[in-house]
């Protein structure tokens, strides 16, 4: 979810995010202006941990997982 107005646009963010996830995980996405929905072929805990780790990348500043505080 986009939490900062000056954060990168969602289409660019989703490409960067997918590039930071394990390449063997099948993924599909839905991209809106301020929200990216990601379905990942991994356990929910593993997926959440990997996405949380990817969101620490400076290129993804201004985006966070719903329910988390950055």
């Amino acid at each position: 979810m986009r939490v900062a107005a000056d954060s990168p646009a969602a289409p660019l963010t989703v490409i960067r995010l997918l590039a930071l996830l394990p390449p063997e995980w099948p993924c599909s996405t839905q991209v809106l202006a301020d929200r990216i929905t990601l379905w990942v072929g991994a356990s929910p805990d593993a997926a959440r941990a990997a996405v949380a780790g990817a969101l620490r990348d400076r290129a993804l500043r201004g985006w966070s997982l719903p329910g988390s505080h950055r």
Side-chain angles (χ1 to χ4, degrees):
M1 156 167 48
R2 192 178 207 175
V3 295
D6 64 343
S7 61
L12 182 57
T13 299
V14 76
I15 292 167
R16 289 175 172 162
L17 175 60
L18 291 173
L20 294 169
L21 296 179
E24 66 274 7
W25 286 1
C27 300
S28 63
T29 62
Q30 177 184 26
V31 181
L32 304 173
D34 293 330
R35 178 177 291 272
I36 297 167
T37 303
L38 178 65
W39 294 275
V40 178
S43 74
D45 290 338
R48 187 167 183 83
V51 170
L55 289 172
R56 286 193 284 275
D57 188 283
R58 292 186 59 172
L60 302 178
R61 67 174 169 67
W63 287 86
S64 71
L65 284 166
S68 68
H69 300 4
R70 291 185 67 180

